[in-house]
Amino acid sequence: MVVWYAGFITLIGAITAIIIMMWIASQHRPKKQAKEIKKKIYGVRLWYILSLLSVFAILLIFTLSFLPYYQNQKKTPDLAVSVIGRMWDWQFSSSDNASNSIKRDSNGTIILPLHKTIEFQVTSKDVNHGFGIYHSDGHLLAQTQAMPGYINRLVYTFDEPGEYTVLCLEYCGLAHHMMHTRFKVE
Ligand SMILES: [Cu+2]
């Protein structure tokens, strides 16, 4: 929906710019009149900039109070998963009490629930890492930074069962390319 609105606004902006350019082209006059027209156009430009600035200022005032956005999400997560990145692997554990602990299959692979809102609480034990969740077809689904001394919250709902891969998205040393893990959703 947001993408649709952004596209619509861009289209309106482009059409407006074309109309203005066509109007300017139609105003071709001898040099004497050019000065006057220039003044007029600069006036229009000034009002255009001022109106844009006021729209942005209003949007800013109304949306700044929602930061950080994850705290304003109405859906409370069904499951909180703690993720710790360190050179060079990922550790998953349950952030909730023991009764809610993370399921694993017989091979020790983590199993996360389907259609449930999961909050990944991501941090790092050493340097900055990038926590990226990939679909089995190679698409990046969600990502956040894993930073020492700071917990980043990544909320995601898996609507497709299958195997997902976690890759490090921040170069973090010699074995950075080895820093990956997998989990299942079912
Ligand atoms: Cu890395």
Side-chain angles (χ1 to χ4, degrees):
M1 202 63 176
V2 175
V3 175
W4 194 88
Y5 278 125
F8 184 71
I9 291 167
T10 309
L11 184 68
I12 295 292
I15 290 170
T16 311
I18 289 168
I19 291 170
I20 291 171
M21 280 190 277
M22 283 169 74
W23 180 76
I24 291 169
S26 72
Q27 297 295 311
H28 186 70
R29 296 284 189 282
K31 265 193 178 175
K32 276 184 187 171
Q33 288 180 11
K35 218 176 176 184
E36 247 175 66
I37 292 167
K38 200 174 166 186
K39 208 176 156 190
K40 219 174 177 181
I41 290 171
Y42 280 9
V44 171
R45 188 177 68 173
L46 181 70
W47 280 107
Y48 177 65
I49 290 170
L50 287 178
S51 54
L52 269 188
L53 282 178
S54 30
V55 167
F56 286 137
I58 290 165
L59 285 177
L60 203 64
I61 288 163
F62 280 104
T63 54
L64 263 186
S65 60
F66 295 124
L67 280 172
Y69 295 124
Y70 69 84
Q71 281 179 355
N72 282 287
Q73 275 162 340
K74 289 201 178 88
K75 252 186 169 179
T76 41
D78 299 308
L79 177 71
V81 178
S82 161
V83 179
I84 300 172
R86 57 168 197 194
M87 288 187 255
W88 286 281
D89 66 12
W90 296 102
Q91 284 181 326
F92 281 64
S93 60
S94 173
S95 303
D96 301 334
N97 50 44
S99 63
N100 248 336
S101 67
I102 292 180
K103 282 184 197 162
R104 288 175 191 269
D105 69 5
S106 53
N107 298 319
T109 307
I110 291 155
I111 301 171
L112 294 178
L114 188 66
H115 303 310
K116 299 271 183 192
T117 310
I118 301 169
E119 183 181 270
F120 295 94
Q121 300 170 351
V122 185
T123 188
S124 166
K125 264 194 174 166
D126 37 47
V127 297
N128 267 28
H129 300 281
F131 176 73
I133 303 172
Y134 283 81
H135 189 271
S136 55
D137 67 7
H139 275 108
L140 178 63
L141 298 172
Q143 65 91 26
T144 190
Q145 285 271 305
M147 300 152 77
Y150 194 87
I151 295 172
N152 276 318
R153 289 155 207 276
L154 180 67
V155 178
Y156 197 81
T157 307
F158 296 93
D159 289 322
E160 232 183 279
E163 202 166 81
Y164 293 81
T165 307
V166 172
L167 296 180
C168 180
L169 296 178
E170 181 88 43
Y171 181 70
C172 56
L174 274 181
H176 160 68
H177 62 287
M178 307 276 283
M179 190 168 167
H180 52 78
T181 190
R182 280 180 302 171
F183 60 82
K184 281 183 193 169
V185 171
E186 53 182 49

PDB file of all heavy atoms in Angstrom, residues 12-41:
ATOM      1  N   ILE A  12       2.225  12.039  -9.805  1.00  0.00           N
ATOM      2  CA  ILE A  12       1.632  13.386  -9.757  1.00  0.00           C
ATOM      3  C   ILE A  12       2.730  14.443  -9.885  1.00  0.00           C
ATOM      4  O   ILE A  12       2.598  15.420 -10.635  1.00  0.00           O
ATOM      5  CB  ILE A  12       0.845  13.586  -8.429  1.00  0.00           C
ATOM      6  CG1 ILE A  12      -0.355  12.634  -8.359  1.00  0.00           C
ATOM      7  CG2 ILE A  12       0.394  15.041  -8.257  1.00  0.00           C
ATOM      8  CD1 ILE A  12      -1.450  12.934  -9.361  1.00  0.00           C
ATOM      9  N   GLY A  13       3.855  14.205  -9.157  1.00  0.00           N
ATOM     10  CA  GLY A  13       4.989  15.139  -9.199  1.00  0.00           C
ATOM     11  C   GLY A  13       5.547  15.258 -10.605  1.00  0.00           C
ATOM     12  O   GLY A  13       5.836  16.362 -11.090  1.00  0.00           O
ATOM     13  N   ALA A  14       5.689  14.100 -11.290  1.00  0.00           N
ATOM     14  CA  ALA A  14       6.254  14.089 -12.639  1.00  0.00           C
ATOM     15  C   ALA A  14       5.332  14.831 -13.609  1.00  0.00           C
ATOM     16  O   ALA A  14       5.789  15.631 -14.434  1.00  0.00           O
ATOM     17  CB  ALA A  14       6.462  12.650 -13.098  1.00  0.00           C
ATOM     18  N   ILE A  15       4.011  14.582 -13.480  1.00  0.00           N
ATOM     19  CA  ILE A  15       3.049  15.254 -14.362  1.00  0.00           C
ATOM     20  C   ILE A  15       3.090  16.766 -14.126  1.00  0.00           C
ATOM     21  O   ILE A  15       3.099  17.566 -15.066  1.00  0.00           O
ATOM     22  CB  ILE A  15       1.617  14.694 -14.148  1.00  0.00           C
ATOM     23  CG1 ILE A  15       1.554  13.259 -14.686  1.00  0.00           C
ATOM     24  CG2 ILE A  15       0.573  15.561 -14.841  1.00  0.00           C
ATOM     25  CD1 ILE A  15       0.292  12.498 -14.322  1.00  0.00           C
ATOM     26  N   THR A  16       3.161  17.180 -12.845  1.00  0.00           N
ATOM     27  CA  THR A  16       3.243  18.602 -12.508  1.00  0.00           C
ATOM     28  C   THR A  16       4.487  19.224 -13.139  1.00  0.00           C
ATOM     29  O   THR A  16       4.426  20.316 -13.729  1.00  0.00           O
ATOM     30  CB  THR A  16       3.278  18.784 -10.976  1.00  0.00           C
ATOM     31  OG1 THR A  16       2.232  18.007 -10.410  1.00  0.00           O
ATOM     32  CG2 THR A  16       3.103  20.235 -10.577  1.00  0.00           C
ATOM     33  N   ALA A  17       5.633  18.514 -13.036  1.00  0.00           N
ATOM     34  CA  ALA A  17       6.888  19.037 -13.596  1.00  0.00           C
ATOM     35  C   ALA A  17       6.768  19.198 -15.106  1.00  0.00           C
ATOM     36  O   ALA A  17       7.217  20.212 -15.668  1.00  0.00           O
ATOM     37  CB  ALA A  17       8.032  18.088 -13.243  1.00  0.00           C
ATOM     38  N   ILE A  18       6.133  18.219 -15.771  1.00  0.00           N
ATOM     39  CA  ILE A  18       5.960  18.290 -17.231  1.00  0.00           C
ATOM     40  C   ILE A  18       5.081  19.488 -17.605  1.00  0.00           C
ATOM     41  O   ILE A  18       5.399  20.249 -18.523  1.00  0.00           O
ATOM     42  CB  ILE A  18       5.350  16.974 -17.771  1.00  0.00           C
ATOM     43  CG1 ILE A  18       6.396  15.856 -17.672  1.00  0.00           C
ATOM     44  CG2 ILE A  18       4.888  17.133 -19.222  1.00  0.00           C
ATOM     45  CD1 ILE A  18       5.853  14.468 -17.898  1.00  0.00           C
ATOM     46  N   ILE A  19       3.983  19.679 -16.841  1.00  0.00           N
ATOM     47  CA  ILE A  19       3.079  20.811 -17.114  1.00  0.00           C
ATOM     48  C   ILE A  19       3.824  22.135 -16.962  1.00  0.00           C
ATOM     49  O   ILE A  19       3.727  23.020 -17.812  1.00  0.00           O
ATOM     50  CB  ILE A  19       1.834  20.758 -16.185  1.00  0.00           C
ATOM     51  CG1 ILE A  19       0.956  19.570 -16.593  1.00  0.00           C
ATOM     52  CG2 ILE A  19       1.036  22.060 -16.252  1.00  0.00           C
ATOM     53  CD1 ILE A  19      -0.163  19.251 -15.624  1.00  0.00           C
ATOM     54  N   ILE A  20       4.631  22.238 -15.886  1.00  0.00           N
ATOM     55  CA  ILE A  20       5.393  23.480 -15.652  1.00  0.00           C
ATOM     56  C   ILE A  20       6.381  23.728 -16.801  1.00  0.00           C
ATOM     57  O   ILE A  20       6.487  24.839 -17.324  1.00  0.00           O
ATOM     58  CB  ILE A  20       6.119  23.426 -14.287  1.00  0.00           C
ATOM     59  CG1 ILE A  20       5.084  23.495 -13.149  1.00  0.00           C
ATOM     60  CG2 ILE A  20       7.131  24.567 -14.145  1.00  0.00           C
ATOM     61  CD1 ILE A  20       5.644  23.249 -11.770  1.00  0.00           C
ATOM     62  N   MET A  21       7.071  22.657 -17.228  1.00  0.00           N
ATOM     63  CA  MET A  21       8.048  22.807 -18.315  1.00  0.00           C
ATOM     64  C   MET A  21       7.366  23.208 -19.622  1.00  0.00           C
ATOM     65  O   MET A  21       7.882  24.033 -20.366  1.00  0.00           O
ATOM     66  CB  MET A  21       8.845  21.510 -18.483  1.00  0.00           C
ATOM     67  CG  MET A  21       9.959  21.380 -17.445  1.00  0.00           C
ATOM     68  SD  MET A  21      11.068  20.021 -17.779  1.00  0.00           S
ATOM     69  CE  MET A  21      10.159  18.673 -17.088  1.00  0.00           C
ATOM     70  N   MET A  22       6.182  22.608 -19.877  1.00  0.00           N
ATOM     71  CA  MET A  22       5.454  22.957 -21.098  1.00  0.00           C
ATOM     72  C   MET A  22       4.986  24.408 -21.054  1.00  0.00           C
ATOM     73  O   MET A  22       5.022  25.120 -22.047  1.00  0.00           O
ATOM     74  CB  MET A  22       4.254  22.006 -21.294  1.00  0.00           C
ATOM     75  CG  MET A  22       4.686  20.645 -21.806  1.00  0.00           C
ATOM     76  SD  MET A  22       3.363  19.426 -21.744  1.00  0.00           S
ATOM     77  CE  MET A  22       2.346  19.950 -23.101  1.00  0.00           C
ATOM     78  N   TRP A  23       4.578  24.837 -19.856  1.00  0.00           N
ATOM     79  CA  TRP A  23       4.141  26.220 -19.681  1.00  0.00           C
ATOM     80  C   TRP A  23       5.311  27.180 -19.926  1.00  0.00           C
ATOM     81  O   TRP A  23       5.177  28.180 -20.623  1.00  0.00           O
ATOM     82  CB  TRP A  23       3.565  26.404 -18.270  1.00  0.00           C
ATOM     83  CG  TRP A  23       3.106  27.814 -18.022  1.00  0.00           C
ATOM     84  CD1 TRP A  23       1.979  28.393 -18.484  1.00  0.00           C
ATOM     85  CD2 TRP A  23       3.797  28.820 -17.279  1.00  0.00           C
ATOM     86  NE1 TRP A  23       1.903  29.690 -18.082  1.00  0.00           N
ATOM     87  CE2 TRP A  23       3.012  29.983 -17.328  1.00  0.00           C
ATOM     88  CE3 TRP A  23       5.000  28.848 -16.555  1.00  0.00           C
ATOM     89  CZ2 TRP A  23       3.383  31.162 -16.693  1.00  0.00           C
ATOM     90  CZ3 TRP A  23       5.372  30.018 -15.926  1.00  0.00           C
ATOM     91  CH2 TRP A  23       4.575  31.156 -15.990  1.00  0.00           C
ATOM     92  N   ILE A  24       6.491  26.804 -19.373  1.00  0.00           N
ATOM     93  CA  ILE A  24       7.686  27.642 -19.556  1.00  0.00           C
ATOM     94  C   ILE A  24       8.007  27.746 -21.053  1.00  0.00           C
ATOM     95  O   ILE A  24       8.273  28.823 -21.574  1.00  0.00           O
ATOM     96  CB  ILE A  24       8.887  27.057 -18.769  1.00  0.00           C
ATOM     97  CG1 ILE A  24       8.637  27.197 -17.255  1.00  0.00           C
ATOM     98  CG2 ILE A  24      10.196  27.760 -19.144  1.00  0.00           C
ATOM     99  CD1 ILE A  24       9.605  26.436 -16.390  1.00  0.00           C
ATOM    100  N   ALA A  25       7.943  26.582 -21.748  1.00  0.00           N
ATOM    101  CA  ALA A  25       8.259  26.567 -23.183  1.00  0.00           C
ATOM    102  C   ALA A  25       7.284  27.446 -23.970  1.00  0.00           C
ATOM    103  O   ALA A  25       7.670  28.109 -24.938  1.00  0.00           O
ATOM    104  CB  ALA A  25       8.227  25.129 -23.698  1.00  0.00           C
ATOM    105  N   SER A  26       6.018  27.464 -23.520  1.00  0.00           N
ATOM    106  CA  SER A  26       5.001  28.248 -24.238  1.00  0.00           C
ATOM    107  C   SER A  26       5.146  29.739 -23.970  1.00  0.00           C
ATOM    108  O   SER A  26       4.547  30.551 -24.646  1.00  0.00           O
ATOM    109  CB  SER A  26       3.603  27.770 -23.832  1.00  0.00           C
ATOM    110  OG  SER A  26       3.341  28.197 -22.509  1.00  0.00           O
ATOM    111  N   GLN A  27       5.920  30.085 -22.963  1.00  0.00           N
ATOM    112  CA  GLN A  27       6.077  31.501 -22.581  1.00  0.00           C
ATOM    113  C   GLN A  27       7.259  32.168 -23.275  1.00  0.00           C
ATOM    114  O   GLN A  27       7.760  33.178 -22.805  1.00  0.00           O
ATOM    115  CB  GLN A  27       6.270  31.606 -21.055  1.00  0.00           C
ATOM    116  CG  GLN A  27       5.091  31.114 -20.230  1.00  0.00           C
ATOM    117  CD  GLN A  27       3.847  31.953 -20.422  1.00  0.00           C
ATOM    118  OE1 GLN A  27       3.892  33.162 -20.338  1.00  0.00           O
ATOM    119  NE2 GLN A  27       2.734  31.308 -20.714  1.00  0.00           N
ATOM    120  N   HIS A  28       7.734  31.569 -24.377  1.00  0.00           N
ATOM    121  CA  HIS A  28       8.894  32.126 -25.074  1.00  0.00           C
ATOM    122  C   HIS A  28       8.581  33.530 -25.602  1.00  0.00           C
ATOM    123  O   HIS A  28       7.686  33.721 -26.395  1.00  0.00           O
ATOM    124  CB  HIS A  28       9.308  31.201 -26.213  1.00  0.00           C
ATOM    125  CG  HIS A  28      10.574  31.652 -26.868  1.00  0.00           C
ATOM    126  ND1 HIS A  28      11.787  31.566 -26.226  1.00  0.00           N
ATOM    127  CD2 HIS A  28      10.799  32.209 -28.069  1.00  0.00           C
ATOM    128  CE1 HIS A  28      12.723  32.064 -27.018  1.00  0.00           C
ATOM    129  NE2 HIS A  28      12.148  32.448 -28.156  1.00  0.00           N
ATOM    130  N   ARG A  29       9.338  34.527 -25.120  1.00  0.00           N
ATOM    131  CA  ARG A  29       9.094  35.925 -25.460  1.00  0.00           C
ATOM    132  C   ARG A  29      10.424  36.628 -25.762  1.00  0.00           C
ATOM    133  O   ARG A  29      11.484  36.117 -25.410  1.00  0.00           O
ATOM    134  CB  ARG A  29       8.435  36.651 -24.264  1.00  0.00           C
ATOM    135  CG  ARG A  29       7.075  36.146 -23.878  1.00  0.00           C
ATOM    136  CD  ARG A  29       5.982  36.622 -24.833  1.00  0.00           C
ATOM    137  NE  ARG A  29       4.671  36.289 -24.323  1.00  0.00           N
ATOM    138  CZ  ARG A  29       4.123  35.087 -24.387  1.00  0.00           C
ATOM    139  NH1 ARG A  29       4.781  34.094 -24.932  1.00  0.00           N
ATOM    140  NH2 ARG A  29       2.914  34.867 -23.905  1.00  0.00           N
ATOM    141  N   PRO A  30      10.373  37.809 -26.366  1.00  0.00           N
ATOM    142  CA  PRO A  30      11.613  38.579 -26.549  1.00  0.00           C
ATOM    143  C   PRO A  30      12.286  38.872 -25.205  1.00  0.00           C
ATOM    144  O   PRO A  30      11.666  38.759 -24.154  1.00  0.00           O
ATOM    145  CB  PRO A  30      11.135  39.886 -27.189  1.00  0.00           C
ATOM    146  CG  PRO A  30       9.772  39.616 -27.687  1.00  0.00           C
ATOM    147  CD  PRO A  30       9.219  38.450 -26.992  1.00  0.00           C
ATOM    148  N   LYS A  31      13.573  39.320 -25.294  1.00  0.00           N
ATOM    149  CA  LYS A  31      14.402  39.475 -24.091  1.00  0.00           C
ATOM    150  C   LYS A  31      13.796  40.375 -23.020  1.00  0.00           C
ATOM    151  O   LYS A  31      13.964  40.123 -21.826  1.00  0.00           O
ATOM    152  CB  LYS A  31      15.781  39.998 -24.478  1.00  0.00           C
ATOM    153  CG  LYS A  31      16.788  38.878 -24.662  1.00  0.00           C
ATOM    154  CD  LYS A  31      18.185  39.430 -24.716  1.00  0.00           C
ATOM    155  CE  LYS A  31      19.176  38.285 -24.850  1.00  0.00           C
ATOM    156  NZ  LYS A  31      20.544  38.769 -25.028  1.00  0.00           N
ATOM    157  N   LYS A  32      13.120  41.416 -23.455  1.00  0.00           N
ATOM    158  CA  LYS A  32      12.577  42.381 -22.489  1.00  0.00           C
ATOM    159  C   LYS A  32      11.600  41.706 -21.533  1.00  0.00           C
ATOM    160  O   LYS A  32      11.596  41.963 -20.337  1.00  0.00           O
ATOM    161  CB  LYS A  32      11.875  43.532 -23.227  1.00  0.00           C
ATOM    162  CG  LYS A  32      12.829  44.615 -23.665  1.00  0.00           C
ATOM    163  CD  LYS A  32      12.063  45.753 -24.282  1.00  0.00           C
ATOM    164  CE  LYS A  32      13.011  46.774 -24.889  1.00  0.00           C
ATOM    165  NZ  LYS A  32      12.293  47.776 -25.669  1.00  0.00           N
ATOM    166  N   GLN A  33      10.768  40.874 -22.147  1.00  0.00           N
ATOM    167  CA  GLN A  33       9.767  40.199 -21.316  1.00  0.00           C
ATOM    168  C   GLN A  33      10.370  39.060 -20.503  1.00  0.00           C
ATOM    169  O   GLN A  33       9.798  38.623 -19.515  1.00  0.00           O
ATOM    170  CB  GLN A  33       8.649  39.661 -22.206  1.00  0.00           C
ATOM    171  CG  GLN A  33       7.786  40.773 -22.752  1.00  0.00           C
ATOM    172  CD  GLN A  33       6.677  40.223 -23.632  1.00  0.00           C
ATOM    173  OE1 GLN A  33       6.446  39.029 -23.658  1.00  0.00           O
ATOM    174  NE2 GLN A  33       6.014  41.102 -24.331  1.00  0.00           N
ATOM    175  N   ALA A  34      11.531  38.580 -20.967  1.00  0.00           N
ATOM    176  CA  ALA A  34      12.164  37.418 -20.314  1.00  0.00           C
ATOM    177  C   ALA A  34      12.426  37.683 -18.837  1.00  0.00           C
ATOM    178  O   ALA A  34      12.229  36.810 -17.992  1.00  0.00           O
ATOM    179  CB  ALA A  34      13.461  37.063 -21.032  1.00  0.00           C
ATOM    180  N   LYS A  35      12.855  38.892 -18.538  1.00  0.00           N
ATOM    181  CA  LYS A  35      13.175  39.244 -17.166  1.00  0.00           C
ATOM    182  C   LYS A  35      11.943  39.108 -16.265  1.00  0.00           C
ATOM    183  O   LYS A  35      12.003  38.585 -15.151  1.00  0.00           O
ATOM    184  CB  LYS A  35      13.706  40.683 -17.118  1.00  0.00           C
ATOM    185  CG  LYS A  35      14.845  40.860 -16.121  1.00  0.00           C
ATOM    186  CD  LYS A  35      15.373  42.271 -16.195  1.00  0.00           C
ATOM    187  CE  LYS A  35      16.424  42.507 -15.148  1.00  0.00           C
ATOM    188  NZ  LYS A  35      16.876  43.906 -15.167  1.00  0.00           N
ATOM    189  N   GLU A  36      10.842  39.584 -16.784  1.00  0.00           N
ATOM    190  CA  GLU A  36       9.589  39.533 -16.029  1.00  0.00           C
ATOM    191  C   GLU A  36       9.157  38.092 -15.770  1.00  0.00           C
ATOM    192  O   GLU A  36       8.772  37.734 -14.665  1.00  0.00           O
ATOM    193  CB  GLU A  36       8.492  40.225 -16.848  1.00  0.00           C
ATOM    194  CG  GLU A  36       7.993  41.507 -16.229  1.00  0.00           C
ATOM    195  CD  GLU A  36       7.007  42.180 -17.148  1.00  0.00           C
ATOM    196  OE1 GLU A  36       5.938  41.606 -17.364  1.00  0.00           O
ATOM    197  OE2 GLU A  36       7.342  43.264 -17.669  1.00  0.00           O
ATOM    198  N   ILE A  37       9.251  37.320 -16.849  1.00  0.00           N
ATOM    199  CA  ILE A  37       8.844  35.907 -16.734  1.00  0.00           C
ATOM    200  C   ILE A  37       9.737  35.172 -15.731  1.00  0.00           C
ATOM    201  O   ILE A  37       9.270  34.386 -14.919  1.00  0.00           O
ATOM    202  CB  ILE A  37       8.890  35.228 -18.119  1.00  0.00           C
ATOM    203  CG1 ILE A  37       7.802  35.829 -19.009  1.00  0.00           C
ATOM    204  CG2 ILE A  37       8.698  33.718 -18.010  1.00  0.00           C
ATOM    205  CD1 ILE A  37       7.931  35.483 -20.465  1.00  0.00           C
ATOM    206  N   LYS A  38      11.038  35.510 -15.802  1.00  0.00           N
ATOM    207  CA  LYS A  38      11.990  34.886 -14.891  1.00  0.00           C
ATOM    208  C   LYS A  38      11.580  35.141 -13.433  1.00  0.00           C
ATOM    209  O   LYS A  38      11.568  34.241 -12.605  1.00  0.00           O
ATOM    210  CB  LYS A  38      13.382  35.468 -15.159  1.00  0.00           C
ATOM    211  CG  LYS A  38      14.525  34.602 -14.655  1.00  0.00           C
ATOM    212  CD  LYS A  38      15.829  35.225 -15.133  1.00  0.00           C
ATOM    213  CE  LYS A  38      17.016  34.659 -14.418  1.00  0.00           C
ATOM    214  NZ  LYS A  38      18.241  35.375 -14.793  1.00  0.00           N
ATOM    215  N   LYS A  39      11.227  36.378 -13.189  1.00  0.00           N
ATOM    216  CA  LYS A  39      10.825  36.781 -11.845  1.00  0.00           C
ATOM    217  C   LYS A  39       9.593  35.981 -11.393  1.00  0.00           C
ATOM    218  O   LYS A  39       9.513  35.484 -10.267  1.00  0.00           O
ATOM    219  CB  LYS A  39      10.504  38.289 -11.852  1.00  0.00           C
ATOM    220  CG  LYS A  39      10.734  38.974 -10.512  1.00  0.00           C
ATOM    221  CD  LYS A  39      10.482  40.460 -10.671  1.00  0.00           C
ATOM    222  CE  LYS A  39      10.113  41.090  -9.344  1.00  0.00           C
ATOM    223  NZ  LYS A  39       9.650  42.470  -9.537  1.00  0.00           N
ATOM    224  N   LYS A  40       8.668  35.844 -12.328  1.00  0.00           N
ATOM    225  CA  LYS A  40       7.430  35.120 -12.065  1.00  0.00           C
ATOM    226  C   LYS A  40       7.719  33.645 -11.724  1.00  0.00           C
ATOM    227  O   LYS A  40       7.206  33.101 -10.743  1.00  0.00           O
ATOM    228  CB  LYS A  40       6.567  35.180 -13.336  1.00  0.00           C
ATOM    229  CG  LYS A  40       5.085  35.357 -13.074  1.00  0.00           C
ATOM    230  CD  LYS A  40       4.436  35.547 -14.432  1.00  0.00           C
ATOM    231  CE  LYS A  40       2.966  35.664 -14.400  1.00  0.00           C
ATOM    232  NZ  LYS A  40       2.446  35.831 -15.770  1.00  0.00           N
ATOM    233  N   ILE A  41       8.592  33.055 -12.558  1.00  0.00           N
ATOM    234  CA  ILE A  41       8.928  31.633 -12.361  1.00  0.00           C
ATOM    235  C   ILE A  41       9.639  31.423 -11.034  1.00  0.00           C
ATOM    236  O   ILE A  41       9.367  30.479 -10.309  1.00  0.00           O
ATOM    237  CB  ILE A  41       9.780  31.124 -13.544  1.00  0.00           C
ATOM    238  CG1 ILE A  41       8.893  31.041 -14.793  1.00  0.00           C
ATOM    239  CG2 ILE A  41      10.385  29.757 -13.241  1.00  0.00           C
ATOM    240  CD1 ILE A  41       9.641  30.756 -16.057  1.00  0.00           C
TER     241      ILE A  41
END
